[in-house]
Amino acid sequence: MEESLAIGLGGGPGIRDAEEILDRAREDEREAIEARTRYREDGLPVLEVDGPVAERLRAGETVIDARTSAVVSRHLRGDGTEDHPGRLYLTTQRLMVVGGAPLDVELAEIDELALAGERLLVTLRDGTGLSIDASRPRLMRVQIAAALAAGRT
């Protein structure tokens, strides 16, 4: 009886999972707000990278952020999708997935950014889109927006 009462009052695993998701979303939102302020005051961060990523950088391009584990799904015209799992890098010029199925997307091709739950949705100018499944999607949205704004100035 006590166990069923505890579950009915919010003690079940589903409620705990929902609370953890909500806590992560709140922390992500807090980090996004702080980053927005920091980027306005100090500019974009620069991450030091080496190896294959450093070799792929163009002149004047720097890495702003790296996510160790991500899946970027590219939604093609029609019903097709391509999944690109790997390490996700945000640079001053593009999104790069390094892994089994590499992907490069120019930031200049981004038309719109939106959140859907814990995924970042990116609409591209050619009518295709990306769905990014990575940690801290709210922070990533702010980082991409800041890189886009810096590229326009």
Side-chain angles (χ1 to χ4, degrees), residues 58 61 93-95 104-110 124 148:
R58 302 170 185 153
E61 182 179 25
Q93 298 178 18
R94 57 196 158 142
L95 287 166
D104 282 8
V105 176
E106 300 293 327
L107 294 184
E109 294 303 311
I110 294 176
L124 303 176
L148 286 166

Side-chain angles (χ1 to χ4, degrees), residues 7-131:
I7 291 173
L9 294 175
I15 298 298
R16 283 192 300 272
D17 290 347
E19 288 171 349
E20 288 175 15
I21 291 168
L22 187 56
D23 288 344
R24 279 196 310 267
R26 285 181 183 138
E27 179 67 14
D28 184 24
E29 186 64 33
R30 185 191 60 74
E31 287 180 13
I33 291 167
E34 290 174 359
R36 188 177 295 116
T37 302
R38 191 170 52 252
Y39 299 159
R40 284 183 187 144
E41 294 173 1
D42 304 329
L44 295 170
V46 175
L47 292 182
E48 296 297 322
V49 293
D50 56 12
V53 174
E55 293 168 9
R56 290 178 59 188
L57 293 177
R58 302 170 185 153
E61 182 179 25
T62 60
V63 175
I64 298 167
D65 188 48
R67 305 294 169 98
T68 57
S69 178
V71 177
V72 177
S73 298
R74 184 164 196 149
H75 301 274
L76 308 171
R77 290 190 170 97
D79 292 333
T81 61
E82 299 172 345
D83 288 337
H84 300 269
R87 191 171 179 118
L88 176 63
Y89 293 88
L90 170 62
T91 77
T92 51
Q93 298 178 18
R94 57 196 158 142
L95 287 166
M96 298 184 340
V97 177
V98 177
L103 175 70
D104 282 8
V105 176
E106 300 293 327
L107 294 184
E109 294 303 311
I110 294 176
D111 188 41
E112 185 177 5
L113 299 167
L115 287 170
E118 291 302 300
R119 288 179 185 251
L120 180 59
L121 304 180
V122 181
T123 304
L124 303 176
R125 295 186 193 285
D126 68 0
T128 64
L130 306 174
S131 174

